[in-house]
Amino acid sequence: MESTKKGRLLIISNNVLSTTNSNGKTILSYFDSLYFDSVRQLYFSEENPEILEYEYYKLSDKDVIKSKFTLASRGKAIKKHQGNNNSCIQSKRKVKKYGDLVRLLREIIWIGNWKSKELITWLDEFDPTTIFFVGGDSCFAYRICIYIKKRYNARLSLYITDDYVMPRIYDSIIGKLRRRIIRNYFLKCLKNADVFFTISEPMRRAYEKEFGRKSFLAVNMVDSLKDNSIKRNQDKITLIYAGSLYYGRDIVLNKLSLAIEKYKRQNNQRKIELKVFTNNFLDNNEKKKISGGKSTKFYESIKKEELKVQLNRADILVFVESFERKQIEKTKYSLSTKVPEYLSLHKPILAIGPMEIGSIQYLKDVSQCVSDESQIFEKLRELLDSEYLQSKISDLAEKKYCRYNMKQTVQERFLKEVFGILD
Protein backbone atom coordinates (compact mmCIF):
# COMPACT_ATOMS: atom_id res chain seq x y z
CA MET A 1 0.00 0.00 0.00
CA GLU A 2 1.66 3.22 -1.18
CA SER A 3 1.60 6.21 1.10
CA THR A 4 -0.51 9.25 0.24
CA LYS A 5 -1.29 12.60 1.85
CA LYS A 6 -3.91 13.51 -0.70
CA GLY A 7 -6.80 13.68 1.78
CA ARG A 8 -9.65 11.64 3.23
CA LEU A 9 -11.70 9.99 0.50
CA LEU A 10 -15.33 8.94 0.89
CA ILE A 11 -16.62 6.60 -1.82
CA ILE A 12 -20.40 6.64 -2.31
CA SER A 13 -21.85 3.92 -4.51
CA ASN A 14 -24.50 1.23 -4.77
CA ASN A 15 -21.99 -1.62 -4.69
CA VAL A 16 -19.38 -2.39 -2.07
CA LEU A 17 -15.69 -2.58 -2.99
CA SER A 18 -14.89 -6.03 -4.34
CA THR A 19 -12.26 -8.17 -6.02
CA THR A 20 -14.84 -10.09 -8.07
CA ASN A 21 -18.07 -8.19 -8.75
CA SER A 22 -17.71 -5.83 -11.70
CA ASN A 23 -18.75 -2.43 -10.30
CA GLY A 24 -17.01 -2.93 -6.96
CA LYS A 25 -13.92 -4.24 -8.73
CA THR A 26 -13.76 -1.19 -11.02
CA ILE A 27 -13.97 1.27 -8.12
CA LEU A 28 -11.36 -0.64 -6.14
CA SER A 29 -8.96 -0.53 -9.10
CA TYR A 30 -8.89 3.28 -8.89
CA PHE A 31 -8.02 3.64 -5.22
CA ASP A 32 -6.19 0.54 -4.03
CA SER A 33 -2.87 2.41 -3.85
CA LEU A 34 -4.19 4.69 -1.08
CA TYR A 35 -3.78 4.09 2.64
CA PHE A 36 -6.67 2.02 3.97
CA ASP A 37 -7.22 4.58 6.75
CA SER A 38 -7.65 7.40 4.22
CA VAL A 39 -10.60 5.71 2.45
CA ARG A 40 -14.11 4.89 3.63
CA GLN A 41 -17.21 3.78 1.75
CA LEU A 42 -20.92 4.44 2.10
CA TYR A 43 -22.89 1.94 0.00
CA PHE A 44 -26.54 1.09 -0.63
CA SER A 45 -26.88 -2.67 -0.95
CA GLU A 46 -27.08 -5.85 1.13
CA GLU A 47 -23.58 -6.92 0.08
CA ASN A 48 -21.16 -7.85 2.84
CA PRO A 49 -17.60 -6.51 2.45
CA GLU A 50 -14.93 -9.01 1.48
CA ILE A 51 -12.05 -6.50 1.71
CA LEU A 52 -11.65 -6.24 5.45
CA GLU A 53 -9.07 -3.46 5.73
CA TYR A 54 -11.52 -0.59 5.01
CA GLU A 55 -14.34 0.88 7.08
CA TYR A 56 -17.82 0.98 5.61
CA TYR A 57 -21.34 2.18 6.27
CA LYS A 58 -24.01 -0.11 4.82
CA LEU A 59 -27.41 1.49 4.16
CA SER A 60 -29.76 -0.69 2.14
CA ASP A 61 -33.44 -0.75 1.17
CA LYS A 62 -34.02 -3.31 3.91
CA ASP A 63 -32.40 -1.03 6.51
CA VAL A 64 -34.57 1.94 5.52
CA ILE A 65 -37.78 -0.10 5.50
CA LYS A 66 -36.94 -1.75 8.84
CA SER A 67 -36.33 1.63 10.47
CA LYS A 68 -39.91 2.70 9.68
CA PHE A 69 -41.35 -0.12 11.78
CA THR A 70 -38.77 -0.65 14.51
CA LEU A 71 -36.31 1.34 16.58
CA ALA A 72 -33.44 -0.22 14.65
CA SER A 73 -30.71 2.05 13.36
CA ARG A 74 -30.78 2.98 9.70
CA GLY A 75 -27.94 0.86 8.40
CA LYS A 76 -24.75 0.10 10.26
CA ALA A 77 -21.10 0.98 10.42
CA ILE A 78 -18.82 -1.93 9.54
CA LYS A 79 -15.44 -1.70 11.20
CA LYS A 80 -12.25 -3.21 9.91
CA HIS A 81 -12.19 -7.02 9.80
CA GLN A 82 -15.98 -7.26 10.30
CA GLY A 83 -16.84 -8.22 6.73
CA ASN A 84 -16.93 -11.62 5.09
CA ASN A 85 -13.75 -12.89 3.50
CA ASN A 86 -15.64 -15.80 1.97
CA SER A 87 -17.27 -13.45 -0.52
CA CYS A 88 -14.60 -14.17 -3.11
CA ILE A 89 -16.61 -17.18 -4.25
CA GLN A 90 -19.15 -16.00 -6.78
CA SER A 91 -22.77 -16.36 -5.88
CA LYS A 92 -25.11 -18.65 -7.80
CA ARG A 93 -28.22 -16.78 -6.68
CA LYS A 94 -30.54 -15.39 -9.28
CA VAL A 95 -30.39 -11.61 -9.25
CA LYS A 96 -33.77 -9.95 -8.83
CA LYS A 97 -34.62 -7.30 -11.41
CA TYR A 98 -37.32 -4.80 -10.47
CA GLY A 99 -39.51 -2.82 -12.84
CA ASP A 100 -39.76 0.96 -13.10
CA LEU A 101 -42.91 1.21 -10.95
CA VAL A 102 -41.30 -0.69 -8.06
CA ARG A 103 -38.21 1.49 -8.36
CA LEU A 104 -40.32 4.66 -8.18
CA LEU A 105 -42.01 3.33 -5.04
CA ARG A 106 -38.56 2.59 -3.66
CA GLU A 107 -37.65 6.28 -4.01
CA ILE A 108 -40.68 7.26 -1.93
CA ILE A 109 -39.59 4.93 0.87
CA TRP A 110 -36.17 6.61 1.02
CA ILE A 111 -37.47 10.20 1.21
CA GLY A 112 -36.60 11.59 4.63
CA ASN A 113 -35.69 8.14 5.96
CA TRP A 114 -31.99 7.75 5.23
CA LYS A 115 -30.46 10.17 7.71
CA SER A 116 -29.59 8.90 11.19
CA LYS A 117 -27.47 9.91 14.16
CA GLU A 118 -25.27 6.86 13.60
CA LEU A 119 -24.52 7.76 9.98
CA ILE A 120 -23.80 11.42 10.73
CA THR A 121 -21.51 10.43 13.61
CA TRP A 122 -19.66 8.03 11.31
CA LEU A 123 -19.27 10.78 8.69
CA ASP A 124 -18.25 13.45 11.22
CA GLU A 125 -15.61 11.16 12.65
CA PHE A 126 -14.05 10.77 9.20
CA ASP A 127 -14.70 14.36 8.01
CA PRO A 128 -14.13 13.62 4.28
CA THR A 129 -12.17 16.11 2.21
CA THR A 130 -12.96 14.38 -1.10
CA ILE A 131 -15.98 12.44 -2.35
CA PHE A 132 -16.04 9.98 -5.24
CA PHE A 133 -19.67 9.34 -6.16
CA VAL A 134 -20.67 6.62 -8.59
CA GLY A 135 -23.93 8.02 -9.93
CA GLY A 136 -26.52 5.38 -10.76
CA ASP A 137 -30.30 5.26 -11.14
CA SER A 138 -31.25 5.95 -7.51
CA CYS A 139 -32.42 9.51 -6.85
CA PHE A 140 -31.86 9.17 -3.10
CA ALA A 141 -28.16 8.48 -3.71
CA TYR A 142 -27.79 11.83 -5.50
CA ARG A 143 -29.57 13.61 -2.62
CA ILE A 144 -27.34 11.96 -0.05
CA CYS A 145 -24.21 12.81 -2.04
CA ILE A 146 -25.11 16.50 -2.37
CA TYR A 147 -25.92 16.69 1.35
CA ILE A 148 -22.56 15.20 2.34
CA LYS A 149 -20.66 17.41 -0.13
CA LYS A 150 -22.20 20.56 1.33
CA ARG A 151 -21.89 19.47 4.96
CA TYR A 152 -18.13 18.91 4.70
CA ASN A 153 -17.37 21.30 1.84
CA ALA A 154 -15.64 18.35 0.18
CA ARG A 155 -14.31 18.15 -3.36
CA LEU A 156 -16.76 16.06 -5.41
CA SER A 157 -16.00 13.70 -8.30
CA LEU A 158 -19.08 12.43 -10.14
CA TYR A 159 -18.57 9.20 -12.08
CA ILE A 160 -21.10 7.71 -14.49
CA THR A 161 -20.55 4.08 -15.53
CA ASP A 162 -23.83 3.49 -17.33
CA ASP A 163 -26.47 5.68 -18.94
CA TYR A 164 -29.57 6.40 -16.87
CA VAL A 165 -30.53 9.84 -18.20
CA MET A 166 -30.53 9.96 -22.00
CA PRO A 167 -33.94 9.39 -23.68
CA ARG A 168 -34.79 5.86 -24.83
CA ILE A 169 -37.24 4.91 -27.54
CA TYR A 170 -38.14 1.55 -26.03
CA ASP A 171 -38.88 2.71 -22.47
CA SER A 172 -42.38 2.38 -21.04
CA ILE A 173 -44.28 5.52 -20.01
CA ILE A 174 -43.25 4.93 -16.39
CA GLY A 175 -39.70 4.25 -17.52
CA LYS A 176 -39.56 7.55 -19.41
CA LEU A 177 -40.93 9.39 -16.35
CA ARG A 178 -38.39 7.74 -14.10
CA ARG A 179 -35.49 8.67 -16.40
CA ARG A 180 -36.63 12.33 -16.40
CA ILE A 181 -36.64 12.36 -12.60
CA ILE A 182 -33.17 10.76 -12.45
CA ARG A 183 -31.94 13.27 -15.03
CA ASN A 184 -33.00 16.18 -12.79
CA TYR A 185 -31.07 14.79 -9.83
CA PHE A 186 -28.09 14.03 -12.05
CA LEU A 187 -28.03 17.66 -13.26
CA LYS A 188 -28.12 18.96 -9.68
CA CYS A 189 -25.21 16.73 -8.77
CA LEU A 190 -23.29 17.69 -11.92
CA LYS A 191 -23.58 21.37 -10.98
CA ASN A 192 -22.05 20.57 -7.59
CA ALA A 193 -19.28 18.37 -9.02
CA ASP A 194 -15.71 19.64 -9.17
CA VAL A 195 -14.71 16.97 -11.67
CA PHE A 196 -16.75 14.70 -13.94
CA PHE A 197 -15.79 11.21 -15.14
CA THR A 198 -17.42 9.04 -17.79
CA ILE A 199 -16.60 5.45 -18.70
CA SER A 200 -16.40 5.45 -22.50
CA GLU A 201 -15.62 7.71 -25.43
CA PRO A 202 -19.20 7.51 -26.83
CA MET A 203 -20.55 8.55 -23.42
CA ARG A 204 -18.00 11.35 -23.07
CA ARG A 205 -18.97 12.81 -26.45
CA ALA A 206 -22.73 12.40 -25.98
CA TYR A 207 -22.78 13.90 -22.47
CA GLU A 208 -20.64 16.87 -23.46
CA LYS A 209 -23.02 17.59 -26.33
CA GLU A 210 -26.13 17.10 -24.16
CA PHE A 211 -25.03 18.83 -20.96
CA GLY A 212 -22.19 21.13 -22.04
CA ARG A 213 -19.77 19.62 -19.53
CA LYS A 214 -16.45 18.03 -20.46
CA SER A 215 -15.49 14.85 -18.66
CA PHE A 216 -12.45 12.68 -18.16
CA LEU A 217 -12.46 9.04 -19.20
CA ALA A 218 -12.11 6.56 -16.35
CA VAL A 219 -11.93 2.91 -17.38
CA ASN A 220 -11.15 -0.15 -15.33
CA MET A 221 -7.47 -0.13 -14.34
CA VAL A 222 -6.13 -3.62 -13.92
CA ASP A 223 -2.89 -5.32 -13.15
CA SER A 224 -2.02 -7.67 -15.97
CA LEU A 225 -3.61 -11.11 -15.73
CA LYS A 226 -0.98 -12.57 -18.02
CA ASP A 227 0.94 -15.50 -16.53
CA ASN A 228 3.47 -17.14 -18.84
CA SER A 229 3.89 -20.07 -16.46
CA ILE A 230 0.36 -21.26 -17.27
CA LYS A 231 0.36 -23.27 -20.46
CA ARG A 232 -2.60 -23.67 -22.78
CA ASN A 233 -4.25 -26.99 -23.53
CA GLN A 234 -2.45 -28.34 -26.60
CA ASP A 235 -4.98 -30.98 -27.70
CA LYS A 236 -7.87 -28.62 -28.52
CA ILE A 237 -8.76 -24.98 -29.19
CA THR A 238 -10.46 -23.30 -26.25
CA LEU A 239 -12.59 -20.16 -26.53
CA ILE A 240 -13.66 -18.50 -23.28
CA TYR A 241 -16.48 -16.08 -22.54
CA ALA A 242 -16.42 -14.61 -19.02
CA GLY A 243 -19.24 -12.28 -18.03
CA SER A 244 -22.96 -11.84 -17.54
CA LEU A 245 -25.66 -13.13 -19.85
CA TYR A 246 -27.94 -10.10 -19.50
CA TYR A 247 -28.95 -7.67 -22.28
CA GLY A 248 -29.33 -10.33 -24.96
CA ARG A 249 -25.78 -11.63 -24.73
CA ASP A 250 -27.10 -15.18 -24.34
CA ILE A 251 -28.61 -14.99 -27.85
CA VAL A 252 -25.30 -13.94 -29.39
CA LEU A 253 -23.47 -16.71 -27.55
CA ASN A 254 -25.95 -19.18 -29.00
CA LYS A 255 -25.11 -17.99 -32.51
CA LEU A 256 -21.41 -18.34 -31.78
CA SER A 257 -21.98 -21.83 -30.37
CA LEU A 258 -23.82 -22.83 -33.55
CA ALA A 259 -21.01 -21.37 -35.66
CA ILE A 260 -18.46 -23.47 -33.76
CA GLU A 261 -20.46 -26.64 -34.44
CA LYS A 262 -20.66 -25.74 -38.14
CA TYR A 263 -16.90 -25.16 -38.27
CA LYS A 264 -16.26 -28.53 -36.63
CA ARG A 265 -18.44 -30.33 -39.17
CA GLN A 266 -16.50 -28.72 -42.02
CA ASN A 267 -13.09 -29.48 -40.49
CA ASN A 268 -13.25 -33.16 -39.58
CA GLN A 269 -14.58 -32.53 -36.08
CA ARG A 270 -11.56 -30.46 -35.07
CA LYS A 271 -11.44 -30.29 -31.27
CA ILE A 272 -12.89 -26.93 -30.19
CA GLU A 273 -14.74 -25.92 -27.05
CA LEU A 274 -16.46 -22.77 -25.84
CA LYS A 275 -16.32 -22.28 -22.06
CA VAL A 276 -18.85 -19.87 -20.55
CA PHE A 277 -18.00 -18.49 -17.10
CA THR A 278 -20.81 -16.44 -15.59
CA ASN A 279 -22.30 -15.24 -12.31
CA ASN A 280 -25.78 -15.98 -13.67
CA PHE A 281 -27.55 -19.04 -12.36
CA LEU A 282 -28.65 -21.21 -15.29
CA ASP A 283 -31.05 -24.15 -15.27
CA ASN A 284 -30.74 -26.91 -17.85
CA ASN A 285 -33.28 -25.32 -20.21
CA GLU A 286 -31.40 -22.03 -20.18
CA LYS A 287 -28.14 -23.84 -20.92
CA LYS A 288 -29.73 -25.65 -23.86
CA LYS A 289 -31.04 -22.32 -25.17
CA ILE A 290 -27.50 -20.92 -25.31
CA SER A 291 -25.64 -24.04 -26.37
CA GLY A 292 -25.53 -25.05 -30.01
CA GLY A 293 -24.00 -28.42 -29.25
CA LYS A 294 -21.74 -30.41 -26.97
CA SER A 295 -18.80 -28.06 -27.49
CA THR A 296 -20.25 -25.39 -25.15
CA LYS A 297 -19.63 -25.86 -21.42
CA PHE A 298 -20.94 -23.75 -18.53
CA TYR A 299 -19.22 -22.77 -15.26
CA GLU A 300 -21.35 -20.70 -12.89
CA SER A 301 -19.22 -20.56 -9.75
CA ILE A 302 -15.49 -20.04 -9.85
CA LYS A 303 -12.89 -18.31 -7.72
CA LYS A 304 -10.96 -15.33 -9.05
CA GLU A 305 -7.62 -17.15 -9.18
CA GLU A 306 -9.09 -20.15 -10.97
CA LEU A 307 -10.67 -17.89 -13.58
CA LYS A 308 -7.28 -16.29 -14.13
CA VAL A 309 -5.81 -19.75 -14.79
CA GLN A 310 -8.60 -20.57 -17.23
CA LEU A 311 -8.14 -17.29 -19.11
CA ASN A 312 -4.40 -17.92 -19.45
CA ARG A 313 -5.05 -21.41 -20.80
CA ALA A 314 -7.48 -20.11 -23.43
CA ASP A 315 -6.63 -19.76 -27.10
CA ILE A 316 -9.25 -17.11 -27.88
CA LEU A 317 -11.17 -14.74 -25.59
CA VAL A 318 -14.78 -13.96 -26.50
CA PHE A 319 -16.66 -10.71 -25.93
CA VAL A 320 -20.27 -10.27 -27.05
CA GLU A 321 -23.04 -7.66 -27.08
CA SER A 322 -26.56 -7.91 -28.45
CA PHE A 323 -27.61 -6.65 -31.90
CA GLU A 324 -31.18 -5.96 -30.74
CA ARG A 325 -32.06 -2.26 -30.84
CA LYS A 326 -33.66 -2.41 -27.40
CA GLN A 327 -30.48 -3.85 -25.90
CA ILE A 328 -28.18 -1.46 -27.80
CA GLU A 329 -29.97 1.44 -26.09
CA LYS A 330 -29.05 -0.05 -22.72
CA THR A 331 -25.38 -0.76 -23.41
CA LYS A 332 -24.18 1.70 -26.06
CA TYR A 333 -22.42 4.03 -23.62
CA SER A 334 -20.93 1.29 -21.45
CA LEU A 335 -17.43 -0.09 -21.33
CA SER A 336 -17.28 -3.55 -19.80
CA THR A 337 -14.87 -4.18 -16.94
CA LYS A 338 -13.89 -7.34 -18.79
CA VAL A 339 -12.35 -5.43 -21.71
CA PRO A 340 -9.07 -4.29 -20.08
CA GLU A 341 -8.64 -7.69 -18.42
CA TYR A 342 -8.86 -9.36 -21.80
CA LEU A 343 -6.40 -6.87 -23.30
CA SER A 344 -3.83 -7.60 -20.61
CA LEU A 345 -3.69 -11.32 -21.42
CA HIS A 346 -1.97 -10.98 -24.81
CA LYS A 347 -4.56 -13.27 -26.40
CA PRO A 348 -6.60 -12.96 -29.61
CA ILE A 349 -10.04 -11.51 -28.87
CA LEU A 350 -13.19 -12.34 -30.81
CA ALA A 351 -15.52 -9.33 -30.28
CA ILE A 352 -19.10 -9.72 -31.53
CA GLY A 353 -21.54 -6.83 -31.39
CA PRO A 354 -22.80 -3.63 -33.06
CA MET A 355 -20.35 -0.79 -33.59
CA GLU A 356 -22.60 1.67 -31.69
CA ILE A 357 -21.65 0.08 -28.35
CA GLY A 358 -18.75 1.56 -26.41
CA SER A 359 -17.08 -1.76 -25.62
CA ILE A 360 -17.11 -2.84 -29.28
CA GLN A 361 -15.71 0.53 -30.38
CA TYR A 362 -12.92 0.14 -27.85
CA LEU A 363 -12.07 -3.34 -29.17
CA LYS A 364 -12.59 -2.81 -32.89
CA ASP A 365 -8.93 -2.19 -33.76
CA VAL A 366 -7.45 -4.83 -31.42
CA SER A 367 -9.70 -7.83 -32.06
CA GLN A 368 -11.37 -9.95 -34.68
CA CYS A 369 -14.41 -7.70 -34.66
CA VAL A 370 -17.79 -8.95 -35.93
CA SER A 371 -20.14 -5.98 -36.28
CA ASP A 372 -22.61 -7.85 -38.54
CA GLU A 373 -24.15 -10.92 -36.92
CA SER A 374 -24.54 -12.62 -40.30
CA GLN A 375 -20.73 -12.72 -40.47
CA ILE A 376 -20.14 -14.62 -37.20
CA PHE A 377 -19.25 -17.91 -38.88
CA GLU A 378 -17.01 -16.36 -41.56
CA LYS A 379 -15.11 -14.22 -39.07
CA LEU A 380 -14.74 -17.16 -36.68
CA ARG A 381 -13.37 -19.35 -39.46
CA GLU A 382 -10.97 -16.62 -40.56
CA LEU A 383 -9.62 -16.32 -37.02
CA LEU A 384 -9.34 -20.07 -36.38
CA ASP A 385 -7.56 -20.67 -39.68
CA SER A 386 -4.94 -17.92 -39.35
CA GLU A 387 -2.20 -18.07 -36.72
CA TYR A 388 -0.83 -14.84 -38.21
CA LEU A 389 -4.12 -13.02 -37.51
CA GLN A 390 -4.23 -14.45 -33.98
CA SER A 391 -0.69 -13.24 -33.28
CA LYS A 392 -1.29 -9.81 -34.81
CA ILE A 393 -4.39 -8.92 -32.80
CA SER A 394 -2.85 -10.37 -29.62
CA ASP A 395 0.04 -7.91 -29.95
CA LEU A 396 -2.30 -5.00 -30.71
CA ALA A 397 -4.43 -5.81 -27.66
CA GLU A 398 -1.45 -5.87 -25.31
CA LYS A 399 -0.13 -2.56 -26.68
CA LYS A 400 -3.50 -0.88 -26.08
CA TYR A 401 -3.62 -2.27 -22.55
CA CYS A 402 -0.14 -0.90 -21.77
CA ARG A 403 -1.07 2.54 -23.06
CA TYR A 404 -4.56 3.04 -21.66
CA ASN A 405 -5.43 0.44 -19.00
CA MET A 406 -2.26 -0.61 -17.18
CA LYS A 407 -2.65 0.56 -13.62
CA GLN A 408 0.91 1.84 -13.22
CA THR A 409 0.38 4.09 -16.25
CA VAL A 410 -2.98 5.71 -15.51
CA GLN A 411 -3.82 5.49 -11.80
CA GLU A 412 -1.68 8.38 -10.56
CA ARG A 413 -3.03 10.68 -13.28
CA PHE A 414 -6.58 9.71 -12.29
CA LEU A 415 -5.94 10.35 -8.59
CA LYS A 416 -4.60 13.82 -9.35
CA GLU A 417 -7.93 14.69 -10.96
CA VAL A 418 -9.94 13.24 -8.08
CA PHE A 419 -7.98 15.12 -5.42
CA GLY A 420 -7.42 18.28 -7.48
CA ILE A 421 -3.63 18.06 -7.36
CA LEU A 422 -1.93 20.38 -9.86
CA ASP A 423 1.26 19.30 -11.63
Side-chain angles (χ1 to χ4, degrees):
M1 188 64 56
E2 296 178 9
S3 66
T4 180
K5 296 182 180 178
K6 295 180 173 70
R8 296 177 300 280
L9 174 70
L10 176 68
I11 300 168
I12 305 176
S13 64
N14 284 326
N15 298 108
V16 71
L17 297 173
S18 173
T19 61
T20 55
N21 295 326
S22 58
N23 288 334
K25 183 166 63 174
T26 297
I27 303 167
L28 178 65
S29 75
Y30 299 153
F31 302 113
D32 61 2
S33 67
L34 303 180
Y35 275 141
F36 293 123
D37 287 343
S38 69
V39 180
R40 286 190 180 187
Q41 185 184 25
L42 167 64
Y43 69 96
F44 309 117
S45 73
E46 281 295 317
E47 296 169 297
N48 198 26
E50 61 174 279
I51 304 170
L52 309 183
E53 290 81 7
Y54 295 106
E55 297 206 7
Y56 307 86
Y57 199 97
K58 180 176 79 70
L59 183 60
S60 67
D61 294 337
K62 187 181 293 186
D63 295 321
V64 172
I65 293 171
K66 190 187 300 182
S67 71
K68 295 177 72 68
F69 301 102
T70 71
L71 297 177
S73 299
R74 296 178 179 91
K76 67 175 181 177
I78 302 175
K79 299 293 185 181
K80 291 184 179 184
H81 307 291
Q82 288 184 341
N84 176 17
N85 57 12
N86 291 321
S87 299
C88 59
I89 299 176
Q90 297 174 354
S91 172
K92 293 182 69 173
R93 293 182 297 109
K94 284 203 172 188
V95 178
K96 291 183 180 179
K97 292 227 168 189
Y98 298 106
D100 290 308
L101 180 58
V102 173
R103 288 179 176 273
L104 281 175
L105 294 174
R106 176 194 188 206
E107 297 292 351
I108 295 172
I109 292 171
W110 276 78
I111 293 175
N113 290 309
W114 63 268
K115 195 185 300 183
S116 67
K117 180 180 178 181
E118 290 80 7
L119 174 58
I120 300 304
T121 298
W122 183 82
L123 290 167
D124 285 348
E125 175 186 276
F126 187 57
D127 190 19
T129 60
T130 306
I131 298 168
F132 186 79
F133 173 51
V134 184
D137 63 346
S138 302
C139 298
F140 64 81
Y142 289 95
R143 290 199 302 271
I144 294 170
C145 174
I146 293 170
Y147 171 85
I148 295 173
K149 188 249 184 331
K150 291 182 176 179
R151 181 179 178 90
Y152 302 101
N153 193 29
R155 177 178 173 84
L156 172 60
S157 294
L158 171 61
Y159 181 35
I160 302 297
T161 63
D162 215 337
D163 175 54
Y164 303 104
V165 299
M166 300 291 271
R168 286 184 180 174
I169 297 172
Y170 296 98
D171 261 343
S172 64
I173 294 174
I174 296 176
K176 286 179 172 32
L177 171 63
R178 183 168 166 267
R179 288 181 81 81
R180 282 200 295 270
I181 296 171
I182 296 168
R183 183 186 177 102
N184 289 336
Y185 280 98
F186 163 77
L187 286 171
K188 290 177 185 177
C189 194
L190 187 60
K191 288 178 182 178
N192 281 276
D194 297 279
V195 63
F196 180 34
F197 294 99
T198 46
I199 197 167
S200 70
E201 183 61 28
M203 179 183 280
R204 188 194 68 77
R205 290 195 303 265
Y207 275 46
E208 182 176 352
K209 182 179 179 180
E210 183 77 9
F211 304 112
R213 178 76 181 265
K214 291 185 177 181
S215 62
F216 296 94
L217 286 183
V219 298
N220 193 13
M221 306 171 198
V222 298
D223 293 317
S224 177
L225 296 181
K226 183 179 177 182
D227 188 339
N228 291 324
S229 69
I230 302 172
K231 304 303 179 183
R232 72 177 187 85
N233 193 335
Q234 298 287 339
D235 66 346
K236 58 186 167 184
I237 298 173
T238 301
L239 293 84
I240 284 184
Y241 172 81
S244 80
L245 303 177
Y246 299 128
Y247 304 121
R249 296 180 184 120
D250 55 340
I251 297 172
V252 182
L253 283 173
N254 171 253
K255 292 181 178 181
L256 174 59
S257 182
L258 291 170
I260 290 171
E261 296 301 326
K262 181 178 178 180
Y263 179 88
K264 287 176 64 178
R265 289 194 299 270
Q266 293 183 1
N267 289 270
N268 299 316
Q269 295 299 315
R270 188 178 178 186
K271 291 184 179 180
I272 304 174
E273 67 176 354
L274 170 62
K275 291 184 175 182
V276 178
F277 295 92
T278 181
N279 283 334
N280 299 96
F281 175 83
L282 300 172
D283 59 33
N284 288 332
N285 288 332
E286 289 169 322
K287 290 178 182 179
K288 288 179 182 178
K289 182 181 176 182
I290 297 172
S291 176
K294 295 181 180 180
S295 299
T296 302
K297 311 292 184 184
F298 297 91
Y299 304 84
E300 295 144 24
S301 182
I302 187 170
K303 294 181 180 179
K304 175 185 174 184
E305 286 305 311
E306 176 58 23
L307 179 58
K308 178 180 176 180
V309 171
Q310 292 289 338
L311 290 170
N312 275 277
R313 284 179 179 165
D315 295 284
I316 296 170
L317 306 175
V318 176
F319 184 88
V320 303
E321 293 288 6
S322 174
F323 290 89
E324 297 177 29
R325 298 308 310 177
K326 182 177 180 180
Q327 304 301 347
I328 292 172
E329 275 198 330
K330 297 176 182 178
T331 59
K332 67 179 180 178
Y333 295 126
S334 301
L335 182 63
S336 170
T337 57
K338 193 58 61 180
V339 168
E341 294 178 346
Y342 276 14
L343 295 176
S344 76
L345 285 156
H346 193 210
K347 300 272 186 182
I349 299 170
L350 175 63
I352 307 173
M355 201 56 69
E356 301 102 301
I357 293 177
S359 295
I360 300 297
Q361 285 192 29
Y362 200 80
L363 289 170
K364 66 180 180 180
D365 57 345
V366 294
S367 69
Q368 175 74 330
C369 188
V370 188
S371 57
D372 180 346
E373 58 186 325
S374 68
Q375 295 295 310
I376 291 175
F377 174 74
E378 293 300 326
K379 291 284 189 176
L380 172 67
R381 181 174 64 181
E382 182 181 334
L383 181 59
L384 291 174
D385 289 348
S386 174
E387 291 185 6
Y388 169 77
L389 179 58
Q390 293 176 30
S391 177
K392 178 184 175 181
I393 60 179
S394 297
D395 291 342
L396 289 171
E398 188 175 48
K399 286 177 182 177
K400 187 160 191 172
Y401 162 75
C402 291
R403 184 171 183 182
Y404 296 110
N405 300 105
M406 188 165 64
K407 186 175 293 186
Q408 298 92 319
T409 305
V410 296
Q411 189 182 57
E412 187 60 30
R413 184 168 67 243
F414 168 82
L415 290 174
K416 285 181 179 180
E417 295 293 344
V418 170
F419 289 97
I421 298 172
L422 300 177
D423 290 322

